[in-house]
């Protein structure tokens, strides 16, 4: 699933191609991915120049010269591509934007859970979707302020897009591992230094993922992600990938927190003591 690091990588790719370009045509190959009427979308974008790109959480924006915004959400399997010759159109392209450079931008989505929308501005879209500040932009003070009174496990709060936008399941596990915080710690029990560590880990994990263009096998060896990609049918204790990257003899524990698969090192992330 395209998470914040993938979407930021797509945005950077698009930015190079579309900024200062005029959209000369719109071709819809499969209207499934449109959350707006096709003719309305065509009238809104054709003839417009793309002034800039943006991103909020897992949403990518093309900012048009009349102030409106084309919103791309990539669902489960969304991707972007570019081509010139119609014969080179990527497989599963659902929508194509024609640019005056002669390049064509493809919105690719095999499973068609992605969506293309129109918004009057990023702010109106953010309000309508109840999205908090982007996870890369939220300040340590904002993060602590939003969490410190909540008597709720910290993991589901970090997944809540209205608190901060863009943190998905594996990213939250990685952030909590890097910060040394157990996912079931209640947010109101976290100390100031733990909030600092949490904020630092969000920056570190997202920054690392974007730097590696979301190619997970290139992530540093001390990342939990190398331990979570095991085959669930493997025999416990036999697969080296099941062990903590920092404690070679400690097995990573899989559980469910808030209904989501969760991976924890019991040494790096001490379980909360029951009051
Ligand atoms: Zn550990």
């Amino acid at each position: 699933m395209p998470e914040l690091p993938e979407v930021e990588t797509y945005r950077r790719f698009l930015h190079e191609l579309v900024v200062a370009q005029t959209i000369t045509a719109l071709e819809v190959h499969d209207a499934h991915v449109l959350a707006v009427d096709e003719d309305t979308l065509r009238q809104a974008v054709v003839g417009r120049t793309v002034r800039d790109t943006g991103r909020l959480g897992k949403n990518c924006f093309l900012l048009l010269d009349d102030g409106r915004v084309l919103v791309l959400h990539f669902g489960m399997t969304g991707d972007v591509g570019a081509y010139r010759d119609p014969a080179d159109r990527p497989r599963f392209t659902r929508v194509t934007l024609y640019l005056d450079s002669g390049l064509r931008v493809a919105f690719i989505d095999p499973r068609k859970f992605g969506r293309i929308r129109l918004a009057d501005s990023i702010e109106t879209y953010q309000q309508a979707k109840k999205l908090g500040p982007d996870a890369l932009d939220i300040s340590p003070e904002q993060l602590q302020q939003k969490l410190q009174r909540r008597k709720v496990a910290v993991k589901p709060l970090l997944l809540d897009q209205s608190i901060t936008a863009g943190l998905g399941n594996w990213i939250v596990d990685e952030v909590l591992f890097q910060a040394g915080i157990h996912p079931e710690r209640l947010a109101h029990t976290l100390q100031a230094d733990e909030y600092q560590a949490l904020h630092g880990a969000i920056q570190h994990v997202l920054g690392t993922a974007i730097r590696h263009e979301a190619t997970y096998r290139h992530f540093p060896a001390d990342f939990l992600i190398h331990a979570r990609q095991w085959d669930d049918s493997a025999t416990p204790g036999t697969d080296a990938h099941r062990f903590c990257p920092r404690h070679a003899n400690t097995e990573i524990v899989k559980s469910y927190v808030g209904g989501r698969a969760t991976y924890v090192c019991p040494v790096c992330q001490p379980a909360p003591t029951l009051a």
Side-chain angles (χ1 to χ4, degrees):
M1 182 186 289
E3 298 278 359
L4 186 156
E6 282 90 347
V7 176
E8 177 60 16
T9 303
Y10 299 167
R11 186 198 66 77
R12 292 177 182 187
F13 171 80
L14 287 174
H15 191 90
E16 294 297 315
L17 302 179
V18 303
V19 171
Q21 290 289 314
T22 299
I23 299 168
T24 57
L26 170 88
E27 193 175 0
V28 177
H29 312 284
D30 189 327
H32 230 99
V33 298
L34 299 185
V36 50
D37 170 71
E38 182 177 335
D39 288 330
T40 307
L41 180 63
R42 183 169 287 109
Q43 280 173 17
V45 301
V46 172
R48 300 257 71 103
T49 299
V50 181
R51 159 170 88 66
D52 202 358
T53 61
R55 184 189 54 71
L56 175 63
K58 303 174 198 177
N59 303 279
C60 180
F61 304 121
L62 303 188
L63 285 70
L64 307 175
D65 59 355
D66 65 348
R68 298 186 85 189
V69 181
L70 191 63
V71 183
L72 308 178
H73 192 277
F74 298 97
M76 298 281 287
T77 55
D79 199 353
V80 288
Y83 63 101
R84 279 181 193 279
D85 189 327
D88 295 331
R89 190 175 87 206
R91 198 172 172 216
F92 304 119
T93 297
R94 306 305 182 190
V95 173
T96 300
L97 294 177
Y98 289 57
L99 305 176
D100 60 356
S101 62
L103 218 56
R104 300 174 187 191
V105 170
F107 182 82
I108 304 162
D109 191 2
R111 294 189 59 188
K112 299 190 271 194
F113 289 113
R115 288 294 177 267
I116 297 178
R117 295 184 170 84
L118 270 174
D120 288 335
S121 68
I122 293 176
E123 291 70 28
T124 56
Y125 181 74
Q126 182 169 13
Q127 280 168 13
K129 293 289 175 185
K130 298 186 169 61
L131 296 170
D134 186 77
L136 270 177
D137 294 335
I138 194 167
S139 70
E141 295 75 22
Q142 273 179 310
L143 185 69
Q144 182 167 351
Q145 194 181 33
K146 283 168 176 281
L147 299 186
Q148 67 187 357
R149 274 185 264 282
R150 305 291 302 271
K151 296 180 180 176
V152 177
V154 64
K155 176 168 177 174
L157 291 175
L158 292 174
L159 287 170
D160 181 344
Q161 302 296 297
S162 71
I163 290 175
T164 181
L167 299 180
N169 195 44
W170 81 259
I171 294 177
V172 168
D173 280 3
E174 189 69 58
V175 162
L176 291 169
F177 173 76
Q178 297 290 334
I181 296 170
H182 193 281
E184 290 178 298
R185 284 284 300 281
L186 303 182
H188 77 290
T189 68
L190 295 177
Q191 304 300 309
D193 61 333
E194 292 179 305
Y195 275 111
Q196 288 290 338
L198 194 56
H199 183 266
I202 291 171
Q203 295 287 323
H204 175 55
V205 170
L206 292 176
T208 300
I210 291 167
R211 202 158 53 248
H212 293 286
E213 297 186 341
T215 305
Y216 304 126
R217 67 180 182 282
H218 294 158
F219 285 11
D222 71 344
F223 267 50
L224 179 70
I225 195 166
H226 304 296
R228 71 177 293 136
Q229 309 230 321
W230 66 59
D231 173 3
D232 275 331
S233 65
T235 311
T238 59
D239 183 348
H241 293 294
R242 285 172 169 272
F243 295 99
C244 175
R246 293 176 180 171
H247 300 97
N249 295 315
T250 304
E251 276 197 58
I252 295 295
V253 176
K254 181 183 180 183
S255 65
Y256 289 86
V257 176
R260 306 295 303 274
T262 298
Y263 295 79
V264 165
C265 169
V267 176
C268 294
Q269 300 162 271
T273 46
L274 294 171

